[in-house]
Amino acid sequence: MKRIAFAVAFMVLLGTLAGCVVNDEDRDGDGLTKENERQGWEVHVVYPHAKNTTTYHVTSDPNKKDTDGDGLTDYEEFLYPDGRATDPNKKDTDGDGLTDYEEFTLGTNPIHWQHDLDDDGFIDYDEITYYKQHGITHEKILDYIQTQDVDGDGVPDGYDRDPLRDLRVEVRITEIMLMSYLDSPDDGIIEGEINISFDNSWVEFEETLIPRTNQSFNLSHIFDLTDFGVPGDTNAFSIVIKDSDEGEGLKAKSFEDGIPEYDFARLFEGNQPVYAVNFDILTDCTAYHTWGTDGELWFEVIDRSVEVDGS
């Protein structure tokens, strides 16, 4: 009886130990035999901006279930859906900025760099590169490549001059000094009309201007700029100051062609009556001091763009 009990106990022990013995055919339990992993397979990949397919042979580690640690087992990399076998030694087979596992979950092609997940006109590789350069976290990037208009300005990211900012500027008139009497007849007071415009938006300020007096102002307006375009595109920016007196005071009489015109204050380079430039928000936001025959003008342009939180 004791022998039978001993034999039963021994068999139980063997059964327990058998569960601990590693299957030598698939040591890491990833679904591929040791021989499969050593023989390997071919990967056919198109790298960023490459025109041709690169084909090379890969093998995986028979002692690791997930050789590259990307979240896909070696078996899943070998039998990737639609025959798109990936490289078990690279987390990102095609080098597009997304790991093979991320591409599996997003449904993009892990062996071809060119895809646009949200159809915003911004290829995912280029979009990822852009966001990385601007310090956006990878977690946020995964959200952004699935969002057509990240900054919510109404322009899809692929057609947006700055997909991370709704572009806005504040124009502030700070000082005006007129050295000429624009009135006719001269009453010592000029009913000034100050017009500022960006693209198709404009604002008008009516102010009393006193000749030969340096006057301080705090006239400001925030313009929502046109975001459509590419980085480096500019906006049409202009300033005009004129005498808005009614009657004859509204008109200048000194033009050679004899045709009456509004009496504009020439406060800009070359004695121009209009300040008109192509404005680049990336380089031109600063303080300005201009002057001409009729006096001087001080103003500043401040970047008031609304940024998205990329942390």
Side-chain angles (χ1 to χ4, degrees), residues 139-153:
E139 183 180 8
K140 281 287 187 180
I141 289 175
L142 292 178
D143 288 336
Y144 289 174
I145 62 174
Q146 300 177 75
T147 306
Q148 284 195 338
D149 181 11
V150 169
D151 59 11
D153 61 3

Side-chain angles (χ1 to χ4, degrees), residues 116-122 124 127 131 141-160 162-164:
D116 182 5
L117 188 61
D118 55 7
D119 293 321
D120 63 355
F122 208 167
D124 294 334
E127 194 165 4
Y131 294 143
I141 289 175
L142 292 178
D143 288 336
Y144 289 174
I145 62 174
Q146 300 177 75
T147 306
Q148 284 195 338
D149 181 11
V150 169
D151 59 11
D153 61 3
V155 179
D157 297 331
Y159 306 95
D160 198 330
D162 189 337
L164 292 173

Side-chain angles (χ1 to χ4, degrees), residues 164-175:
L164 292 173
R165 300 194 304 161
D166 183 5
L167 301 181
R168 302 178 187 183
V169 294
E170 177 185 0
V171 181
R172 182 180 297 164
I173 304 293
T174 56
E175 293 181 68

Side-chain angles (χ1 to χ4, degrees), residues 40-44 55-58 85-86:
W41 58 89
E42 286 192 339
V43 173
H44 309 278
T55 299
Y56 62 99
H57 192 80
V58 298
T86 53

Side-chain angles (χ1 to χ4, degrees), residues 30-156:
D30 62 0
L32 291 176
T33 66
K34 178 172 61 177
E35 189 63 25
N36 290 150
E37 303 215 52
R38 287 177 175 173
Q39 287 182 353
W41 58 89
E42 286 192 339
V43 173
H44 309 278
V45 59
V46 179
Y47 294 116
H49 298 293
K51 295 181 179 179
N52 300 319
T53 299
T54 298
T55 299
Y56 62 99
H57 192 80
V58 298
T59 58
S60 54
D61 188 338
N63 297 308
K64 291 182 179 179
K65 191 172 184 178
D66 178 6
T67 299
D68 55 12
D70 65 354
L72 292 178
T73 66
D74 296 339
Y75 177 84
E76 290 170 327
E77 303 227 33
F78 172 56
L79 291 179
Y80 198 93
D82 300 322
R84 299 170 176 174
T86 53
D87 189 337
N89 303 290
K90 294 180 180 178
K91 292 184 177 182
D92 178 9
T93 297
D94 57 8
D96 64 356
L98 297 171
T99 68
D100 296 339
Y101 176 77
E102 288 168 344
E103 300 223 45
F104 177 78
T105 58
L106 292 171
T108 53
N109 189 344
I111 57 173
H112 198 300
W113 71 281
Q114 195 167 11
H115 40 77
D116 182 5
L117 188 61
D118 55 7
D119 293 321
D120 63 355
F122 208 167
I123 298 299
D124 294 334
Y125 169 78
D126 296 326
E127 194 165 4
I128 291 168
T129 301
Y130 179 87
Y131 294 143
K132 280 184 176 179
Q133 291 172 345
H134 288 77
I136 306 300
T137 64
H138 189 71
E139 183 180 8
K140 281 287 187 180
I141 289 175
L142 292 178
D143 288 336
Y144 289 174
I145 62 174
Q146 300 177 75
T147 306
Q148 284 195 338
D149 181 11
V150 169
D151 59 11
D153 61 3
V155 179

